[in-house]
Amino acid sequence: MKRGRFITLEGGEGVGKTTNLAFIRDFLRQRGIEAVITREPGGVPVAETLRTLVLETQGLAAEAELLLIFAGRVQHLRDLIEPALASGRWVVCDRFVDASYAYQGGGRGLDWERIEYLERWLVSRQPDLTLLLDAPVEVGLARARARGDTNRFEEETVAFLERVRQAYLRRWRQAPQRIRRVDATLPLAQVQQAIAAELQRLLGER
Ligand SMILES: Nc1ncnc2c1ncn2[C@@H]1O[C@H](COP(=O)(O)OP(=O)(O)O)[C@@H](O)[C@H]1O
Ligand SMILES: [Mg+2]
């Protein structure tokens, strides 16, 4: 059986990651590909518990936040991502390792080498494709606030979120083949056109 492909969605708050998960699922379904939709932090029960801890604990040390997120990631990989890919299913994940570089690295200021160490130790695979939905911080924040339901990260300062954005862009420049930047300021239909083009590229349709 062919192994499934692994796609991740990245970007700051309110750029449209969750919105576009459904689009990607439908796009793949039309081609006879069933995708497992999941998210980080979270995706499996233990990791969802850790997600709540990370999102709701005040005063969490940056290092603690990083380790909790990687702890959830280990469980997520072992219990959901790897088995799904091995059984030939595709996995589409709302945030993954790049988010640790962006948030705990860029945002919280932890050394990238620390994150690289954890990644080498604990993460067995890289995504086949990462879609980086990129927009100025204010654009994403306005959308997240209009949507309601803001979390601890959405309540961070603009400077924090700007560092997150710049760290994502740095990741993109370092791996432009895997990470594809999509202009998330465009109307949703155009964002989805750009995502469809990347998916077609991955599928070898263009
Ligand atoms: N391209 C777009 N243009 C305008 N609004 C958008 C666009 N993409 C998403 N939205 C809206 O912005 C809000 C945040 O989107 P969401 O998918 O929840 O972002 P994220 O998961 O990245 O935080 C939602 O209300 C969504 O409907
Ligand atoms: Mg979301």
Side-chain angles (χ1 to χ4, degrees):
M1 189 186 300
K2 247 182 102 176
R3 282 190 85 79
R5 302 290 189 95
F6 182 31
I7 300 172
T8 59
L9 274 161
E10 297 283 1
E13 308 303 322
V15 292
K17 297 178 299 299
T18 305
T19 304
N20 286 299
L21 280 178
F23 172 77
I24 295 172
R25 186 197 53 220
D26 294 345
F27 181 97
L28 293 174
R29 188 170 284 161
Q30 281 165 15
R31 284 157 177 78
I33 298 167
E34 277 308 314
V36 178
I37 304 295
T38 187
R39 69 171 180 184
E40 286 206 349
V44 293
V46 171
E48 287 289 334
T49 302
L50 295 172
R51 176 192 180 92
T52 305
L53 208 62
V54 166
L55 292 183
E56 293 179 6
T57 307
Q58 300 294 328
L60 198 61
E63 292 82 356
E65 183 179 284
L66 177 70
L67 292 171
L68 287 173
I69 285 172
F70 266 92
R73 183 165 291 141
V74 168
Q75 203 77 31
H76 192 203
L77 276 162
R78 193 198 71 177
D79 293 347
L80 189 149
I81 296 173
E82 291 296 354
L85 295 173
S87 74
R89 280 180 301 165
W90 289 42
V91 175
V92 186
C93 191
D94 191 335
R95 289 215 167 100
F96 193 59
V97 175
D98 294 305
S100 291
Y101 287 94
Y103 281 78
Q104 285 73 47
R108 304 263 183 245
L110 294 177
D111 282 348
W112 278 39
E113 295 71 45
R114 305 272 185 217
I115 305 170
E116 277 163 2
Y117 174 81
L118 292 173
E119 183 181 13
R120 272 198 307 277
W121 176 29
L122 301 169
V123 180
S124 44
R125 70 173 51 249
Q126 286 229 318
D128 297 290
L129 170 66
T130 297
L131 295 161
L132 172 58
L133 298 177
D134 179 54
V137 168
E138 305 76 50
V139 172
L141 268 186
R143 285 183 192 165
R145 287 188 182 134
R147 180 197 60 201
D149 183 33
T150 56
N151 66 40
R152 203 161 68 81
F153 289 100
E154 284 154 359
E155 287 152 14
E156 280 291 345
T157 62
V158 169
F160 173 95
L161 296 171
E162 187 59 41
R163 291 197 300 276
V164 169
R165 183 184 185 204
Q166 293 309 320
Y168 268 133
L169 290 172
R170 182 171 160 205
R171 294 289 290 167
W172 166 58
R173 285 188 208 98
Q174 287 177 342
Q177 286 306 311
R178 171 178 66 87
I179 303 177
R180 311 296 289 181
R181 180 184 167 278
V182 173
D183 181 355
T185 64
L186 294 171
L188 188 57
Q190 276 168 261
V191 169
Q192 294 182 337
Q193 256 178 28
I195 291 174
E198 293 301 339
L199 294 173
Q200 285 173 324
R201 204 173 71 102
L202 183 65
L203 286 161
E205 289 176 12
R206 55 187 274 170

